[in-house]
Amino acid sequence: MEKRRVVITGMGAVTPVGLTAPESWQAVKEGVCGIGPITRFDTSEQKVKLAAEVKDFDAAALIGRQESKRMARFTQFAVAAAKEAMADAGDLGEKDPLRCGVIVSSGIGGLDVTETEHLRGQQRGFDRVSPHYVPMTIVNIAAGQIAIMTGFEGVCSCPVTACAGGTYAAGDAFRNIRDGYLDLCLCGGAEACITPLGLGGFSSMKALSENPDPDRASIPFDKERDGFVLGEGAGILLLEELSHALNRGAKIYAEVVGYGATCDAHHVTAPKPDGSGAAAAMRMALSDGGVQPKEVDYINAHGTSTQLNDAGETAAVKLAFGDHAYHLMMSSTKSMTGHMLGAAGAVEAVLTAFTLHDGFVPATIHYQTPDEACDLDVVPNEGRAYDVRYAMSNSLGFGGHNGSILLKKWEA
């Protein structure tokens, strides 16, 4: 059967630099940093003091007071972003609910609710925890809530692949539409684990930057990088079969043309140093889209600001792209948003679609000290106006999960 074409027709985002997709994109274009002192709890007894928090998020106004009370923060983010993506897409016209799906990832789910309810259980007895505790915290519930909100009755799932989850969700949605199982799919990821336990867990394994300076904490590809900065938020995209989109006169941000997913099968947290697993995912995405390496202008890198990730990802790009690696641009928007874990790949797919649509490549901000192990063009400090035709977004997760999605500028 001939593969069907898939386009992006709606986008929503809640991020540390904006409460909507356009706000977030404008901030990224301007090089705004969303990292600052943690305000949600007291960090006086913790080593890490900074995070990339979502600011001024009013769940009651966006979702409804009663509805939002029964959602963990990650689900609130996901539902708000999904509502935006649906509004952005406009009238979807006639549709079969069974051919409309929801695939939304989260790495950790409702950690904030788990901490609150555990404390309540210790104080009052565990039979007194909220009856909403389990359905609020399970990782798939964001997808379930979005399906309830939209009436989409097709596949509803939640790929849990750590920091690669948002990209896996977009890739799975792309395949479901391309291969004829769905016509429409809301996809993406959400995360909200800036909590004492979340921060402590990553801090104790030495994954987080302890730098107290917001301008030097999340510094991907910089030789002085010492860990990532925990972020939160959500990104949701509406993917749609091309003829369905054209028939209803939809605006199109970009076309999804390829997807690749692999596993390093190497280590619980560390990537393969030679980058071969991630490189294989990139090659798969290129092959899937019938695209030559030299045609890719830009990569939105995973670029977490850890020593191992950034060096390994650079090595992977060189393996996948050969000499062309030195001619493409590769920046990390985590320098602005921090690392949103299961939401990261989704938000970065949104930003990559905007890159293609607007012809602008975002920078890696706060870059100062070059690293010989990260010697590609990381678009340091200043974004660039550039007519990008093909762009890739990479995500790499604990467990060795690698995901690459390839987008193309929409050409009618």
Side-chain angles (χ1 to χ4, degrees):
M1 185 177 71
E2 183 179 352
K3 292 181 178 179
R4 307 192 313 164
R5 293 173 69 184
V6 181
V7 291
I8 300 167
T9 56
M11 300 197 292
V14 176
T15 76
V17 294
L19 295 178
T20 67
E23 278 181 21
S24 299
W25 172 237
Q26 186 60 37
V28 164
K29 287 176 72 176
E30 294 172 3
V32 173
C33 183
I35 295 163
I38 292 169
T39 64
R40 292 181 57 78
F41 55 92
D42 180 7
T43 61
S44 59
E45 300 299 317
Q46 297 194 253
K47 292 179 180 178
V48 174
K49 311 295 184 183
L50 301 179
E53 295 178 324
V54 169
K55 292 90 173 167
D56 303 318
F57 179 75
D58 188 343
L62 292 168
I63 302 166
R65 188 169 301 279
Q66 285 304 114
E67 294 88 342
S68 64
K69 280 183 180 179
R70 296 184 178 180
M71 295 179 188
R73 187 169 168 88
F74 87 105
T75 303
Q76 293 174 349
F77 290 158
V79 170
K83 288 184 73 166
E84 182 192 353
M86 289 289 284
D88 186 39
D91 185 356
L92 299 181
E94 289 295 322
K95 58 187 185 299
D96 178 352
L98 288 171
R99 294 188 61 79
C100 301
V102 181
I103 305 177
V104 176
S105 175
S106 182
I108 298 176
L111 186 61
D112 53 336
V113 180
T114 292
E115 291 184 42
T116 299
E117 292 301 321
H118 185 260
L119 181 61
R120 178 178 293 171
Q122 287 181 315
Q123 294 172 341
R124 304 182 186 176
F126 283 94
D127 286 343
R128 301 285 298 278
V129 302
S130 170
H132 301 294
Y133 165 61
V134 171
M136 285 176 72
T137 56
I138 50 178
V139 186
N140 66 298
I141 202 63
Q145 288 279 19
I146 291 169
I148 291 167
M149 177 186 78
T150 58
F152 286 7
E153 297 177 357
V155 61
C156 183
S157 68
C158 173
V160 183
T161 52
C163 306
T167 296
Y168 272 54
D172 288 352
F174 163 63
R175 287 178 173 173
N176 269 279
I177 297 171
R178 181 193 64 185
D179 296 342
Y181 299 104
L182 297 172
D183 296 324
L184 299 163
C185 191
L186 282 165
C187 61
E191 204 77 83
C193 58
I194 302 176
T195 69
L197 184 59
L199 193 75
F202 284 112
S203 177
S204 67
M205 65 184 292
K206 307 299 182 185
L208 298 182
S209 172
E210 296 181 12
N211 196 316
D213 181 358
D215 292 348
R216 296 300 292 161
S218 183
I219 49 172
F221 307 114
D222 191 298
K223 194 165 189 173
E224 297 176 6
R225 65 191 184 276
D226 68 341
F228 71 82
V229 172
L230 198 57
E232 63 179 357
I236 301 290
L237 306 96
L238 182 69
L239 270 54
E240 188 168 354
E241 190 271 324
L242 177 60
S243 65
H244 191 281
L246 293 176
N247 287 341
R248 68 180 187 87
K251 70 172 178 294
I252 295 173
Y253 286 102
E255 183 173 1
V256 186
V257 295
Y259 172 58
T262 64
C263 184
D264 285 349
H266 167 69
H267 189 271
V268 173
T269 57
K272 274 186 178 178
D274 67 359
S276 57
M282 293 181 225
R283 288 195 194 104
M284 284 182 184
L286 291 167
S287 176
D288 197 30
V291 175
Q292 295 299 310
K294 65 183 180 181
E295 296 181 88
V296 176
D297 298 305
Y298 170 65
I299 297 174
N300 188 301
H302 190 57
T304 59
S305 186
T306 65
Q307 286 289 334
L308 288 177
N309 176 89
D310 296 4
E313 187 173 8
T314 301
V317 171
K318 292 176 184 176
L319 281 176
F321 287 88
D323 290 342
H324 183 62
Y326 289 97
H327 299 285
L328 54 74
M329 295 167 281
M330 181 173 77
S331 66
S332 174
T333 48
K334 289 184 179 71
S335 57
M336 293 170 263
T337 66
H339 189 357
M340 289 178 277
L341 309 181
V347 169
E348 288 153 15
V350 168
L351 298 177
T352 304
F354 274 125
T355 293
L356 290 157
H357 186 266
D358 288 7
F360 187 88
V361 174
T364 303
I365 68 168
H366 298 148
Y367 181 84
Q368 291 182 9
T369 309
D371 182 350
E372 57 274 12
C374 304
D375 60 346
L376 303 180
D377 178 3
V378 300
V379 195
N381 302 316
E382 293 288 337
R384 300 174 195 163
Y386 193 93
D387 186 19
V388 177
R389 189 157 185 259
Y390 285 100
M392 179 178 283
S393 181
N394 290 334
S395 295
L396 319 175
F398 284 178
H401 305 290
N402 306 302
S404 295
I405 193 161
L406 185 63
L407 308 183
K408 181 184 180 184
K409 179 179 178 180
W410 171 241
E411 299 169 345

PDB file of all heavy atoms in Angstrom, residues 337-361:
ATOM      1  N   THR A 337      14.992  26.173  27.752  1.00  0.00           N
ATOM      2  CA  THR A 337      13.842  25.532  28.396  1.00  0.00           C
ATOM      3  C   THR A 337      14.218  24.582  29.519  1.00  0.00           C
ATOM      4  O   THR A 337      13.334  24.107  30.238  1.00  0.00           O
ATOM      5  CB  THR A 337      13.026  24.725  27.378  1.00  0.00           C
ATOM      6  OG1 THR A 337      13.827  23.624  26.904  1.00  0.00           O
ATOM      7  CG2 THR A 337      12.599  25.588  26.198  1.00  0.00           C
ATOM      8  N   GLY A 338      15.511  24.295  29.675  1.00  0.00           N
ATOM      9  CA  GLY A 338      15.866  23.186  30.542  1.00  0.00           C
ATOM     10  C   GLY A 338      15.430  21.875  29.902  1.00  0.00           C
ATOM     11  O   GLY A 338      14.980  21.829  28.754  1.00  0.00           O
ATOM     12  N   HIS A 339      15.555  20.804  30.665  1.00  0.00           N
ATOM     13  CA  HIS A 339      15.233  19.470  30.145  1.00  0.00           C
ATOM     14  C   HIS A 339      13.883  19.028  30.689  1.00  0.00           C
ATOM     15  O   HIS A 339      13.739  18.732  31.873  1.00  0.00           O
ATOM     16  CB  HIS A 339      16.333  18.483  30.548  1.00  0.00           C
ATOM     17  CG  HIS A 339      16.216  17.152  29.882  1.00  0.00           C
ATOM     18  ND1 HIS A 339      15.179  16.814  29.026  1.00  0.00           N
ATOM     19  CD2 HIS A 339      17.014  16.052  29.950  1.00  0.00           C
ATOM     20  CE1 HIS A 339      15.348  15.571  28.609  1.00  0.00           C
ATOM     21  NE2 HIS A 339      16.448  15.095  29.155  1.00  0.00           N
ATOM     22  N   MET A 340      12.895  18.945  29.803  1.00  0.00           N
ATOM     23  CA  MET A 340      11.526  18.615  30.184  1.00  0.00           C
ATOM     24  C   MET A 340      11.238  17.118  30.132  1.00  0.00           C
ATOM     25  O   MET A 340      10.062  16.709  30.095  1.00  0.00           O
ATOM     26  CB  MET A 340      10.552  19.392  29.305  1.00  0.00           C
ATOM     27  CG  MET A 340      10.528  20.872  29.624  1.00  0.00           C
ATOM     28  SD  MET A 340       9.420  21.807  28.552  1.00  0.00           S
ATOM     29  CE  MET A 340      10.490  22.045  27.146  1.00  0.00           C
ATOM     30  N   LEU A 341      12.274  16.292  30.093  1.00  0.00           N
ATOM     31  CA  LEU A 341      12.137  14.839  30.178  1.00  0.00           C
ATOM     32  C   LEU A 341      11.155  14.321  29.132  1.00  0.00           C
ATOM     33  O   LEU A 341      11.374  14.483  27.946  1.00  0.00           O
ATOM     34  CB  LEU A 341      11.751  14.432  31.601  1.00  0.00           C
ATOM     35  CG  LEU A 341      12.628  15.010  32.728  1.00  0.00           C
ATOM     36  CD1 LEU A 341      12.157  14.516  34.086  1.00  0.00           C
ATOM     37  CD2 LEU A 341      14.095  14.692  32.526  1.00  0.00           C
ATOM     38  N   GLY A 342      10.046  13.698  29.551  1.00  0.00           N
ATOM     39  CA  GLY A 342       9.117  13.120  28.587  1.00  0.00           C
ATOM     40  C   GLY A 342       8.423  14.119  27.691  1.00  0.00           C
ATOM     41  O   GLY A 342       7.868  13.751  26.658  1.00  0.00           O
ATOM     42  N   ALA A 343       8.455  15.390  28.070  1.00  0.00           N
ATOM     43  CA  ALA A 343       7.867  16.440  27.216  1.00  0.00           C
ATOM     44  C   ALA A 343       8.878  17.032  26.254  1.00  0.00           C
ATOM     45  O   ALA A 343       8.498  17.729  25.303  1.00  0.00           O
ATOM     46  CB  ALA A 343       7.288  17.553  28.087  1.00  0.00           C
ATOM     47  N   ALA A 344      10.165  16.771  26.482  1.00  0.00           N
ATOM     48  CA  ALA A 344      11.217  17.467  25.729  1.00  0.00           C
ATOM     49  C   ALA A 344      11.088  17.263  24.225  1.00  0.00           C
ATOM     50  O   ALA A 344      11.081  18.232  23.453  1.00  0.00           O
ATOM     51  CB  ALA A 344      12.592  17.008  26.209  1.00  0.00           C
ATOM     52  N   GLY A 345      10.997  16.022  23.781  1.00  0.00           N
ATOM     53  CA  GLY A 345      10.936  15.756  22.346  1.00  0.00           C
ATOM     54  C   GLY A 345       9.720  16.359  21.688  1.00  0.00           C
ATOM     55  O   GLY A 345       9.770  16.782  20.525  1.00  0.00           O
ATOM     56  N   ALA A 346       8.611  16.433  22.422  1.00  0.00           N
ATOM     57  CA  ALA A 346       7.386  17.012  21.870  1.00  0.00           C
ATOM     58  C   ALA A 346       7.521  18.517  21.700  1.00  0.00           C
ATOM     59  O   ALA A 346       7.185  19.072  20.643  1.00  0.00           O
ATOM     60  CB  ALA A 346       6.211  16.680  22.781  1.00  0.00           C
ATOM     61  N   VAL A 347       8.009  19.189  22.748  1.00  0.00           N
ATOM     62  CA  VAL A 347       8.206  20.633  22.656  1.00  0.00           C
ATOM     63  C   VAL A 347       9.225  20.949  21.564  1.00  0.00           C
ATOM     64  O   VAL A 347       9.057  21.899  20.781  1.00  0.00           O
ATOM     65  CB  VAL A 347       8.646  21.211  24.013  1.00  0.00           C
ATOM     66  CG1 VAL A 347       9.103  22.662  23.870  1.00  0.00           C
ATOM     67  CG2 VAL A 347       7.495  21.122  25.015  1.00  0.00           C
ATOM     68  N   GLU A 348      10.270  20.147  21.472  1.00  0.00           N
ATOM     69  CA  GLU A 348      11.297  20.392  20.459  1.00  0.00           C
ATOM     70  C   GLU A 348      10.780  20.099  19.053  1.00  0.00           C
ATOM     71  O   GLU A 348      11.208  20.745  18.086  1.00  0.00           O
ATOM     72  CB  GLU A 348      12.547  19.593  20.815  1.00  0.00           C
ATOM     73  CG  GLU A 348      13.254  20.216  22.021  1.00  0.00           C
ATOM     74  CD  GLU A 348      14.078  19.248  22.850  1.00  0.00           C
ATOM     75  OE1 GLU A 348      14.372  18.124  22.371  1.00  0.00           O
ATOM     76  OE2 GLU A 348      14.419  19.607  23.994  1.00  0.00           O
ATOM     77  N   ALA A 349       9.837  19.175  18.913  1.00  0.00           N
ATOM     78  CA  ALA A 349       9.192  18.974  17.607  1.00  0.00           C
ATOM     79  C   ALA A 349       8.369  20.200  17.222  1.00  0.00           C
ATOM     80  O   ALA A 349       8.355  20.622  16.056  1.00  0.00           O
ATOM     81  CB  ALA A 349       8.311  17.730  17.634  1.00  0.00           C
ATOM     82  N   VAL A 350       7.679  20.796  18.210  1.00  0.00           N
ATOM     83  CA  VAL A 350       6.937  22.036  17.961  1.00  0.00           C
ATOM     84  C   VAL A 350       7.897  23.133  17.495  1.00  0.00           C
ATOM     85  O   VAL A 350       7.655  23.818  16.494  1.00  0.00           O
ATOM     86  CB  VAL A 350       6.184  22.487  19.233  1.00  0.00           C
ATOM     87  CG1 VAL A 350       5.650  23.908  19.077  1.00  0.00           C
ATOM     88  CG2 VAL A 350       5.037  21.528  19.556  1.00  0.00           C
ATOM     89  N   LEU A 351       9.014  23.286  18.195  1.00  0.00           N
ATOM     90  CA  LEU A 351       9.982  24.326  17.838  1.00  0.00           C
ATOM     91  C   LEU A 351      10.618  24.053  16.476  1.00  0.00           C
ATOM     92  O   LEU A 351      10.884  24.985  15.707  1.00  0.00           O
ATOM     93  CB  LEU A 351      11.057  24.423  18.920  1.00  0.00           C
ATOM     94  CG  LEU A 351      10.565  24.817  20.323  1.00  0.00           C
ATOM     95  CD1 LEU A 351      11.724  24.806  21.313  1.00  0.00           C
ATOM     96  CD2 LEU A 351       9.870  26.170  20.314  1.00  0.00           C
ATOM     97  N   THR A 352      10.832  22.788  16.153  1.00  0.00           N
ATOM     98  CA  THR A 352      11.403  22.436  14.854  1.00  0.00           C
ATOM     99  C   THR A 352      10.422  22.728  13.727  1.00  0.00           C
ATOM    100  O   THR A 352      10.813  23.191  12.644  1.00  0.00           O
ATOM    101  CB  THR A 352      11.831  20.954  14.840  1.00  0.00           C
ATOM    102  OG1 THR A 352      12.747  20.725  15.923  1.00  0.00           O
ATOM    103  CG2 THR A 352      12.515  20.583  13.545  1.00  0.00           C
ATOM    104  N   ALA A 353       9.135  22.482  13.978  1.00  0.00           N
ATOM    105  CA  ALA A 353       8.127  22.824  12.974  1.00  0.00           C
ATOM    106  C   ALA A 353       8.091  24.331  12.737  1.00  0.00           C
ATOM    107  O   ALA A 353       7.982  24.798  11.598  1.00  0.00           O
ATOM    108  CB  ALA A 353       6.752  22.315  13.415  1.00  0.00           C
ATOM    109  N   PHE A 354       8.204  25.104  13.805  1.00  0.00           N
ATOM    110  CA  PHE A 354       8.271  26.559  13.655  1.00  0.00           C
ATOM    111  C   PHE A 354       9.537  26.979  12.901  1.00  0.00           C
ATOM    112  O   PHE A 354       9.513  27.935  12.112  1.00  0.00           O
ATOM    113  CB  PHE A 354       8.246  27.239  15.020  1.00  0.00           C
ATOM    114  CG  PHE A 354       6.870  27.500  15.579  1.00  0.00           C
ATOM    115  CD1 PHE A 354       6.524  27.035  16.840  1.00  0.00           C
ATOM    116  CD2 PHE A 354       5.935  28.224  14.862  1.00  0.00           C
ATOM    117  CE1 PHE A 354       5.267  27.287  17.384  1.00  0.00           C
ATOM    118  CE2 PHE A 354       4.671  28.487  15.389  1.00  0.00           C
ATOM    119  CZ  PHE A 354       4.335  28.009  16.651  1.00  0.00           C
ATOM    120  N   THR A 355      10.639  26.296  13.151  1.00  0.00           N
ATOM    121  CA  THR A 355      11.883  26.583  12.431  1.00  0.00           C
ATOM    122  C   THR A 355      11.666  26.492  10.928  1.00  0.00           C
ATOM    123  O   THR A 355      12.081  27.376  10.162  1.00  0.00           O
ATOM    124  CB  THR A 355      12.996  25.608  12.866  1.00  0.00           C
ATOM    125  OG1 THR A 355      13.332  25.858  14.237  1.00  0.00           O
ATOM    126  CG2 THR A 355      14.238  25.749  12.010  1.00  0.00           C
ATOM    127  N   LEU A 356      11.009  25.435  10.492  1.00  0.00           N
ATOM    128  CA  LEU A 356      10.731  25.241   9.072  1.00  0.00           C
ATOM    129  C   LEU A 356       9.716  26.258   8.554  1.00  0.00           C
ATOM    130  O   LEU A 356       9.867  26.806   7.460  1.00  0.00           O
ATOM    131  CB  LEU A 356      10.205  23.824   8.848  1.00  0.00           C
ATOM    132  CG  LEU A 356      11.214  22.703   9.042  1.00  0.00           C
ATOM    133  CD1 LEU A 356      10.508  21.391   9.350  1.00  0.00           C
ATOM    134  CD2 LEU A 356      12.089  22.548   7.807  1.00  0.00           C
ATOM    135  N   HIS A 357       8.696  26.510   9.336  1.00  0.00           N
ATOM    136  CA  HIS A 357       7.616  27.396   8.911  1.00  0.00           C
ATOM    137  C   HIS A 357       8.079  28.843   8.808  1.00  0.00           C
ATOM    138  O   HIS A 357       7.713  29.559   7.862  1.00  0.00           O
ATOM    139  CB  HIS A 357       6.457  27.287   9.909  1.00  0.00           C
ATOM    140  CG  HIS A 357       5.229  28.043   9.520  1.00  0.00           C
ATOM    141  ND1 HIS A 357       4.973  29.323   9.959  1.00  0.00           N
ATOM    142  CD2 HIS A 357       4.186  27.710   8.714  1.00  0.00           C
ATOM    143  CE1 HIS A 357       3.838  29.745   9.450  1.00  0.00           C
ATOM    144  NE2 HIS A 357       3.320  28.783   8.690  1.00  0.00           N
ATOM    145  N   ASP A 358       8.908  29.275   9.759  1.00  0.00           N
ATOM    146  CA  ASP A 358       9.313  30.682   9.822  1.00  0.00           C
ATOM    147  C   ASP A 358      10.688  30.954   9.218  1.00  0.00           C
ATOM    148  O   ASP A 358      11.068  32.120   9.069  1.00  0.00           O
ATOM    149  CB  ASP A 358       9.324  31.157  11.277  1.00  0.00           C
ATOM    150  CG  ASP A 358       7.924  31.311  11.850  1.00  0.00           C
ATOM    151  OD1 ASP A 358       6.958  30.920  11.174  1.00  0.00           O
ATOM    152  OD2 ASP A 358       7.806  31.814  12.983  1.00  0.00           O
ATOM    153  N   GLY A 359      11.446  29.900   8.904  1.00  0.00           N
ATOM    154  CA  GLY A 359      12.774  30.107   8.354  1.00  0.00           C
ATOM    155  C   GLY A 359      13.732  30.740   9.347  1.00  0.00           C
ATOM    156  O   GLY A 359      14.435  31.700   9.028  1.00  0.00           O
ATOM    157  N   PHE A 360      13.737  30.198  10.575  1.00  0.00           N
ATOM    158  CA  PHE A 360      14.624  30.742  11.610  1.00  0.00           C
ATOM    159  C   PHE A 360      15.156  29.602  12.465  1.00  0.00           C
ATOM    160  O   PHE A 360      14.385  28.776  12.958  1.00  0.00           O
ATOM    161  CB  PHE A 360      13.881  31.747  12.489  1.00  0.00           C
ATOM    162  CG  PHE A 360      14.781  32.470  13.456  1.00  0.00           C
ATOM    163  CD1 PHE A 360      15.433  33.636  13.082  1.00  0.00           C
ATOM    164  CD2 PHE A 360      14.996  31.963  14.737  1.00  0.00           C
ATOM    165  CE1 PHE A 360      16.274  34.293  13.969  1.00  0.00           C
ATOM    166  CE2 PHE A 360      15.829  32.612  15.625  1.00  0.00           C
ATOM    167  CZ  PHE A 360      16.479  33.783  15.237  1.00  0.00           C
ATOM    168  N   VAL A 361      16.478  29.567  12.648  1.00  0.00           N
ATOM    169  CA  VAL A 361      17.139  28.517  13.431  1.00  0.00           C
ATOM    170  C   VAL A 361      17.463  29.064  14.819  1.00  0.00           C
ATOM    171  O   VAL A 361      18.190  30.059  14.939  1.00  0.00           O
ATOM    172  CB  VAL A 361      18.431  28.049  12.736  1.00  0.00           C
ATOM    173  CG1 VAL A 361      19.188  27.064  13.613  1.00  0.00           C
ATOM    174  CG2 VAL A 361      18.108  27.428  11.384  1.00  0.00           C
TER     175      VAL A 361
END
